[in-house]
């Protein structure tokens, strides 16, 4: 039996050996920063889309085009998309690191995760920027009122 | 070093269970976000395609599912603020249990605000 080792109390506690600025610390910081911003973006989104007016019952193509005809909501949704996917994706990366033991499984799960994150961010960004509120040839009754003005 | 008798922030009680709920809610919201970006992308296909798919969100099953989703988001957001305070506020670690019950209280208030409103939308009360 060896005596219990008591670490030198003046020595800084180190779990990973990483010090100073490193990628895992930046990832930790990003989770907190993005989380704080997402509070505003997500609650604003839920309030406008689900609480105001007739809530979910009034959501249709005309409602979405009405919002995205305004650069303010385009920018809002763009920030929410990027921060949400990067925050959520980075969070799921942590979950994979915690539970997937074998190197093969980790590789497969992370590859799937990164593909899903990139594909969703690219798709969402393209939709926000290439969207036309008044697509040519569409049924006029389905379009927002700004299209007939 | 924290001793086992005094408990730690992470093992058992509010600290651990809030972490479990934070993890499950975060995972759930992430999966929904992917689906939600895809259904919204249908606005690029045609107004008809979008209206058809988004129409499902107006059914009772989806309406109840949305209550669950909003509940998960509200918890994750409030508890996320608690995590940030634990890490950056000098009193954070000491007050974490009190903050957990504040999270629960605020969550109940938010849900009291949302659930009747959502049921009203679903059943056309207003
Ligand atoms: C609404 C505002 C939000 C706040 C304040 C917030 C806050 C946080 C914080 C501080 C963490 C880090 C926890 C830790 O390191 O122990 C975290 C983790 C996480 N968040 Fe969020 N978050 C928010 C929104 C979201 C959204 C929209 C998603 C999904 C797209 C999400 C998914 C996750 C996931 C998957 C984790 C990892 C959980 C874990 O490691 O156990 N969060 N969140």
């Amino acid at each position: 039996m060896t005596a219990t080792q008591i670490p030198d109390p003046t020595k800084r506690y180190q779990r990973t050996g990483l010090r100073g600025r490193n990628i895992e610390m930046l990832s930790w910081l990003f989770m907190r920063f993005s989380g704080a911003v997402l509070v505003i973006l997500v609650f604003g989104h839920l309030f406008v889309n689900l609480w105001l007016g007739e809530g979910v019952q009034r959501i249709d193509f005309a409602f979405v085009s009405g919002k995205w005809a305004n650069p303010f909501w385009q920018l809002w949704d763009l920030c929410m998309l990027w921060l949400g996917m990067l925050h959520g994706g980075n969070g799921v990366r942590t979950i994979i690191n915690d539970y997937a033991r074998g190197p093969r499984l980790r590789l497969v799960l992370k590859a799937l995760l990164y593909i899903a994150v990139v594909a969703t961010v690219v798709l969402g960004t393209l939709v926000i920027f290439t969207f036309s509120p008044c697509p040519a040839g569409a049924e006029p009754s389905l379009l927002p009122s700004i299209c007939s003005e | 070093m924290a001793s086992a008798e005094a408990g730690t922030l992470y093992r058992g009680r509010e600290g651990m269970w809030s972490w479990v709920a934070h993890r499950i809610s975060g995972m759930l919201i992430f999966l929904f976000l992917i689906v939600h970006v895809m259904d919204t992308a249908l606005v690029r296909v045609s107004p008809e395609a979008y209206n058809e798919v988004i129409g499902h969100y107006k059914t009772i099953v989806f309406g109840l599912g949305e209550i669950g989703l909003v509940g998960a988001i509200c918890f994750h957001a409030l508890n996320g603020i608690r995590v940030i305070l634990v890490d950056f506020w000098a009193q954070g670690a000491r007050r974490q249990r009190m903050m957990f019950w504040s999270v629960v209280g605020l969550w109940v208030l938010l849900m009291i605000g949302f659930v009747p409103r959502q049921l009203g939308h679903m059943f056309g009360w207003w």
Side-chain angles (χ1 to χ4, degrees):
Chain A
M1 274 287 278
T2 49
T4 313
Q5 292 289 309
I6 299 173
D8 174 4
T10 56
K11 196 168 169 287
R12 194 169 176 273
Y13 169 69
Q14 283 185 16
R15 192 168 56 153
T16 61
L18 295 172
R19 299 283 305 260
R21 214 175 300 158
N22 65 75
I23 199 77
E24 287 301 332
M25 189 277 267
L26 291 177
S27 136
W28 175 91
L29 199 61
F30 171 75
M31 290 308 273
R32 276 125 192 97
F33 161 80
S34 56
V37 180
L38 278 167
V39 172
I40 300 164
L41 294 174
V42 171
F43 279 122
H45 179 73
L46 293 178
F47 182 71
V48 170
N49 285 30
L50 288 185
W51 208 88
L52 288 182
E54 293 86 50
V56 65
Q57 295 297 330
R58 75 189 183 321
I59 297 184
D60 59 7
F61 183 85
F63 176 81
V64 179
S65 350
K67 273 185 92 181
W68 281 349
N70 185 340
F72 174 82
W73 286 116
Q74 284 186 310
L75 187 64
W76 186 290
D77 288 354
L78 188 74
C79 294
M80 195 164 58
L81 170 73
W82 279 73
L83 285 180
M85 283 308 291
L86 292 179
H87 175 106
N90 196 31
V92 174
R93 183 183 69 92
T94 304
I95 298 179
I96 295 174
N97 279 338
D98 278 355
Y99 300 121
R101 292 293 170 85
R104 284 273 292 280
L105 183 61
R106 285 166 92 99
L107 190 73
V108 171
L109 290 179
K110 283 191 192 172
L112 285 174
L113 171 69
Y114 297 153
I115 292 170
V117 169
V118 172
T120 308
V121 168
V122 169
L123 173 69
T125 306
L126 282 176
V127 168
I128 294 175
F129 282 121
T130 66
F131 172 74
S132 153
C134 313
E139 164 62 32
S141 68
L142 300 180
L143 300 182
S145 54
I146 47 166
C147 298
S148 48
E149 277 158 18
Chain B
M1 274 293 251
S3 73
E5 295 94 86
T8 75
L9 226 154
Y10 299 110
R11 192 143 198 189
R13 301 201 53 141
E14 294 88 343
M16 184 180 93
W17 294 110
S18 65
W19 168 80
V20 170
H22 197 80
R23 177 156 278 194
I24 294 173
S25 58
M27 192 70 221
L28 188 86
I29 305 164
F30 179 72
L31 294 177
F32 170 75
L33 179 55
I34 294 180
V35 175
H36 188 44
V37 172
M38 293 200 289
D39 65 55
T40 306
L42 288 171
V43 295
R44 286 293 283 117
V45 177
S46 73
E48 287 83 357
Y50 182 77
N51 289 353
E52 156 97 35
V53 169
I54 219 67
H56 293 291
Y57 279 89
K58 303 173 189 179
T59 60
I60 299 209
V61 175
F62 270 68
L64 295 177
E66 268 175 328
I67 292 178
L69 190 69
V70 168
I73 294 175
C74 288
F75 174 78
H76 190 94
L78 292 170
N79 190 59
I81 296 171
R82 169 178 163 273
V83 170
I84 296 172
L85 287 173
V86 166
D87 289 341
F88 290 106
W89 179 33
Q91 305 291 312
R94 193 141 56 85
R95 304 266 160 99
Q96 63 90 11
R97 182 167 299 162
M98 177 277 280
M99 288 198 288
F100 172 78
W101 291 107
S102 312
V103 164
V104 173
L106 285 172
W107 183 85
V108 170
L109 283 182
L110 285 175
M111 294 311 276
I112 289 176
F114 175 70
V115 174
R117 183 87 190 162
Q118 168 78 353
L119 291 175
H121 292 321
M122 282 163 62
F123 297 109
W125 300 336
W126 40 69

